[in-house]
């Protein structure tokens, strides 16, 4: 990832960067599977949003998973409207790097996606993930509806027990109802498919999520 000033804390709302009026232009075609990445999606599909560090490797984890229709990288959880990458990396927009996951619930359950999320990174590290430091790398789950929120909270309790049994600390993952998802720049979309040798800082703990 590129190097910018990074913040280890979230800004107060009055400290956030000003909104941007222009919506980020992106190509509405997944580089790997050819599916659209922009809303609206077919009504039988469901939405999930996860942040687990650098979104390049995180997105690949999900697009490779059976039952996932499409994915996109983006920004969520902050105050600035329509942020760009530099805004997010400054720590002053308040957003996390996240992955939008559109999935078919008849093929993969939300609980299964939660297990993939927990096992693919270390959710005990606060405002960092491995060597990537800053509030944009924090672990997050942004939920759609009460069922997703309840399942996310229940899975956190279970996985935290497993982590503590393995010698890790408490989970720092931010879990809350989803706010606005903002698409990242086109070059971030399916980055590791376009750049197979590109950086991926994703790494789990080796602890399984029941």
């Amino acid at each position: 990832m590129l190097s910018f000033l990074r913040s280890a804390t979230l800004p107060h709302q009055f400290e956030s960067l000003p909104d941007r009026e222009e919506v980020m232009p992106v190509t509405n075609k997944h580089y790997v599977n050819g599916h659209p990445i922009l809303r609206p999606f077919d009504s039988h599909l469901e939405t999930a949003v996860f942040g687990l560090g650098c979104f390049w490797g995180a997105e690949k984890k999900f697009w490779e998973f059976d039952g996932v229709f499409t994915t996109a990288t983006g920004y969520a959880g902050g105050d600035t409207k329509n942020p760009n990458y530099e805004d997010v990396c400054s720590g002053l927009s308040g957003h996390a790097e996240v992955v939008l996951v559109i999935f078919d619930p008849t093929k993969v359950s939300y609980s299964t996606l939660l297990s993939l999320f927990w096992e693919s990174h270390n959710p005990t590290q606060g405002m960092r993930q491995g060597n990537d430091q800053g509030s944009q790398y924090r672990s997050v789950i942004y939920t759609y509806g009460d069922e997703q929120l309840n399942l996310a909270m229940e899975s956190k309790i279970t996985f935290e027990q497993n982590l503590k049994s393995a010698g890790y600390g408490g989970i720092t993952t931010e879990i809350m109802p989803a706010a606005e998802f903002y698409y990242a720049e086109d070059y971030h979309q399916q980055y590791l498919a376009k750049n197979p040798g590109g950086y991926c800082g994703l790494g789990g703990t080796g602890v399984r999520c029941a």
Side-chain angles (χ1 to χ4, degrees):
M1 300 294 275
L2 299 180
S3 178
F4 294 94
L5 173 66
R6 306 190 191 282
S7 174
T9 59
L10 292 175
H12 296 291
Q13 190 167 11
F14 66 84
E15 297 174 323
S16 296
L17 295 172
D19 294 339
R20 294 180 180 273
E21 294 305 315
E22 182 179 356
V23 176
M24 187 72 69
V26 294
T27 302
N28 191 23
K29 183 178 180 181
H30 198 282
Y31 185 81
V32 177
N33 61 31
H35 293 165
I37 68 171
L38 295 173
R39 297 181 177 93
F41 299 105
D42 290 347
S43 60
H44 73 285
L45 300 173
E46 296 185 7
T47 301
V49 170
F50 302 105
L52 49 157
C54 172
F55 51 17
W56 293 343
E59 186 188 15
K60 183 179 180 182
K61 276 285 184 182
F62 287 98
W63 87 53
E64 292 180 332
F65 209 76
D66 187 43
V68 171
F69 174 77
T70 197
T71 59
T73 57
Y75 314 117
D79 296 313
T80 301
K81 182 179 178 182
N82 297 316
N84 63 25
Y85 185 54
E86 287 78 9
D87 294 338
V88 174
C89 286
S90 75
L92 296 176
S93 75
H95 294 87
E97 293 188 14
V98 297
V99 180
L100 176 73
V101 180
I102 307 301
F103 65 100
D104 185 341
T106 67
K107 296 180 179 179
V108 61
S109 69
Y110 184 68
S111 293
T112 299
L113 295 178
L114 284 169
S115 293
L116 177 62
F117 164 80
W118 292 122
E119 293 176 5
S120 296
H121 75 303
N122 183 344
T124 70
Q125 295 184 308
M127 299 296 185
R128 60 184 283 263
Q129 193 59 215
N131 292 326
D132 293 327
Q133 300 186 40
S135 58
Q136 75 271 29
Y137 296 123
R138 68 190 187 271
S139 174
V140 301
I141 304 173
Y142 296 136
T143 60
Y144 292 80
D146 291 340
E147 182 178 7
Q148 282 195 7
L149 181 60
N150 292 335
L151 288 170
M153 295 300 295
E154 291 169 3
S155 69
K156 172 184 177 290
I157 293 170
T158 299
F159 193 55
E160 189 168 53
Q161 292 171 344
N162 296 350
L163 285 170
K164 288 183 175 179
S165 295
Y168 288 89
I171 285 176
T172 60
T173 302
E174 177 182 303
I175 302 175
M176 59 189 299
E180 188 71 25
F181 170 88
Y182 298 102
Y183 286 85
E185 290 81 348
D186 224 18
Y187 76 93
H188 288 302
Q189 305 299 335
Q190 300 85 60
Y191 181 87
L192 290 183
K194 301 170 184 175
N195 302 275
Y199 169 80
C200 178
L202 204 63
T205 60
V207 177
R208 299 298 303 273
C209 181

